[in-house]
Amino acid sequence: MPARLPRQVASGVLMVLITVSILFPVAWMAIAGFKGRTEVLRSPFQFFPDMWRFDNYAKILQDPQFARAMVVTFVGALLFTVLSLTVNSLAAYAFARLEFRGKRFWWVYCITPMFIPTMAIMLTSFVVVSKLNMLNTLAVLIIPGAASGAQMFFLRQFYLGFPIAVEEAALIDGASRWQIFTRLFLAQSGAPFVVMGIASYLAYWNAYVWPILTITDPNLTQIMQFLGNFRSDRGNQWELLMAGSTLASLPTIILLLIFQRFIVNGVRISGIK
Amino acid sequence: MALVQQPAGPAASTAAVPPVPPAPAGRRRRRVPAARQGRENLTAYLMIAPMVILLSIFVAWPLAYSVYLSTFKISFYQEPEFVGLDFYGYVLESAGFWHSIVVGLYYALLTVPTIMALSLLLATFIKSLSKRAAAFMKTTVYLPAVMSTVVTSVLFVFMYQDEGVANWLLGLLSQGPVNWLNDPHLALPAIAIPGIWLGFGISTLIMLAGLLDIPDSYYEQAQIDGAGWFTQLRHITIPLLKNVLLYLFVTGFTLAIQMLDLPLIMTGGGPVEATNTPNLYIFDSFRDLTPYATSFSLTAALLLFAVIGAISMVVFRLVRSDKAVDG
């Protein structure tokens, strides 16, 4: 068909234009990390550096604060992800499959927090965690946000869709509820766990306000806290800041590239129409 | 921002409610022997216990505590004094509080409609692509959504520098350099741009999912009748996407009015309070050490967010019940 080719070219061109304009800020950040101090904000403007320098990246990586913040945040994010998947999937299974006294009440109790905006409780949460002596511990970053009504709800929807017959057969064979949960349900939870796990990981990795409220110990500084404080702490060393920001974005970008199929389909899994 | 908004701060999700397919909510009472029912009760309680305990400590307690403290006058120098609902009055009479709401509404006005229009255009375009091209575009469109607000803020501050990219682009149009973040009229729009960049990915994917559910035959029929692109958009796409649009509008609005990180990092609320969003106003007055600031900020947070929580709860119910009807 002769009419097809021009259309394909047009949409190809449009695709390139859209991709370039969406990704421009990220590319600009990564490239600025390769520029020299005087080059990074030089006028007249220049897109690529005269000479590609790797020393900004090397320098920020050798900064003990930065390296430590990356590692501490990574460890915290993994623990947070595991904890939140555990807590929320256990409750999700119970609400999806078990009948128990007071179910209705506890369901409302667990689901209502979804509708409480963060700021309404953040200030007194700070008072609560300081009363519990949790300030300046990794626990203050991991434990308070782990239980999530929204995640629990999402996983429950998924478990509701499981065929009930299999479960009843297992019950008749004498399997306990715990065995059914671990061997049947968890074994099938790959896709929703990926979607929810990434949501948890991103939330932790990208968090800023809660860490700046609760962490003052430099050994526990979180990566976004480090970047947020960089300008006031070290002046306008843009080339270093851009190199650091690029490195700090890599884990989330890699996650997206590995799991893009799941994330994109996650919109469908979660049932948005 | 991922699919389910889950700030790693104190528990509780923000108002971004995950839209979910209808679930058979009715009870499935199975007849079970009393002994087994007892064991089942115990199992269930053990399973929900971690969730219930965490929510009690990190949501219920802080919330109750906020309500309690908002009725006291707290100062470092004196014993707390019970003042009843006085602070609610002070907040409602405070010019700073209303100014921050105006700023929040203006920010929402700048971002939400833009994100929705942009998402609709992008989703329509992605729908027209081949499978492989569409997969590529979906990942591209989603990439900004996984970026952190801090990195984005720092990056845009960098681009808004006097010699930065933004002014270079203006220079191409032979316009003078602009002091983006220091001009009270420009600062909020300048913050809205990274806000839009961070936010449009997820809504594009949601709109795309909505578009894919519209049968192709509707468009084919319209084409036979000679309807153009715009007519199709107006008479087929928008009416059939009504629920998705409503959902995106309300969640977008409730998230936008709660914007905190971007103005906190980019401008700190300035210049002359031009970017002092409600959350930033509350956050700063909490950190403020003047007497009674604590009670004031807690009360302001409760007042504002009772309204937002109620809105998202109503929408959540609407979206769910709607699904139950046509699902």
Side-chain angles (χ1 to χ4, degrees), chain A residues 22 28 41 45 99-101 109 114 116 118-119 124-125 131 144 148 157 195 203 206 264 268 270 272-273, chain B residues 3 6 10-11 13-14 19-21 30 37 41 45 56 62 65-66 138 148 163 165 168 197 206 213 244 279:
Chain A
I22 290 174
W28 179 245
L41 277 175
F45 168 88
E99 287 304 329
F100 52 97
R101 215 170 300 133
Y109 187 82
M114 262 166 76
I116 302 172
T118 322
M119 188 52 84
T124 34
S125 291
K131 282 188 174 173
S148 153
Q157 295 302 121
V195 175
N206 290 339
V264 169
R268 298 224 90 169
S270 67
I272 303 159
K273 284 199 174 180
Chain B
L3 289 176
Q6 186 197 23
S13 154
T14 59
V20 176
R30 271 160 278 147
Q37 183 60 51
N41 271 338
Y45 289 146
S56 304
Y65 200 44
S66 278
K138 281 190 238 174
S148 94
E163 302 87 11
V165 191
W168 171 74
W197 187 73
I206 293 173
D213 279 342
V244 176
N279 267 355

Side-chain angles (χ1 to χ4, degrees), chain B residues 69-289:
Chain B
L69 287 183
S70 70
T71 60
F72 282 88
K73 202 154 100 178
I74 301 164
S75 132
F76 275 118
Y77 312 106
Q78 289 156 17
E79 281 291 293
E81 184 192 332
F82 181 77
V83 293
L85 297 180
D86 283 6
F87 272 103
Y88 290 83
Y90 299 152
V91 170
L92 291 175
E93 282 165 17
S94 144
F97 177 74
W98 288 109
H99 175 75
S100 78
I101 290 186
V102 171
V103 171
L105 289 174
Y106 182 34
Y107 176 80
L109 181 74
L110 289 169
T111 51
V112 181
T114 318
I115 287 179
M116 289 181 65
L118 198 64
S119 303
L120 186 56
L121 287 178
L122 279 171
T124 317
F125 174 64
I126 294 175
K127 193 193 165 197
S128 75
L129 295 173
S130 71
K131 218 172 171 187
R132 279 181 62 188
F136 171 79
M137 281 308 290
K138 281 190 238 174
T139 310
T140 307
V141 158
Y142 199 71
L143 189 117
V146 305
M147 298 294 289
S148 94
T149 330
V150 174
V151 167
T152 308
S153 309
V154 169
L155 170 60
F156 275 80
V157 171
F158 173 60
M159 299 205 294
Y160 286 138
Q161 296 292 301
D162 287 346
E163 302 87 11
V165 191
N167 279 326
W168 171 74
L169 284 172
L170 273 188
L172 289 183
L173 305 168
S174 47
Q175 299 291 311
V178 163
N179 207 341
W180 297 95
L181 295 172
N182 286 319
D183 180 335
H185 299 292
L186 280 178
L188 201 63
I191 286 179
I193 290 172
I196 292 163
W197 187 73
L198 283 167
F200 76 92
I202 182 76
S203 48
T204 305
L205 294 188
I206 293 173
M207 282 220 200
L208 181 63
L211 284 181
L212 291 173
D213 279 342
I214 300 177
D216 282 335
S217 56
Y218 289 17
Y219 292 103
E220 282 157 16
Q221 187 60 45
Q223 264 162 2
I224 292 169
D225 293 345
W229 180 82
F230 186 74
T231 318
Q232 291 179 29
L233 184 73
R234 221 186 109 197
H235 293 286
I236 301 176
T237 313
I238 290 179
L240 287 174
L241 278 186
K242 204 184 76 209
N243 283 339
V244 176
L245 294 173
L246 178 75
Y247 169 80
L248 287 176
F249 179 77
V250 177
T251 50
F253 173 78
T254 49
L255 279 179
I257 198 131
Q258 296 184 63
M259 177 44 77
L260 169 63
D261 298 36
L262 287 175
L264 175 65
I265 300 164
M266 293 179 73
T267 56
V272 285
E273 312 285 295
T275 58
N276 211 2
T277 56
N279 267 355
L280 184 54
Y281 175 74
I282 291 164
F283 190 63
D284 280 341
S285 61
F286 183 71
R287 294 195 292 183
D288 191 349
L289 288 178

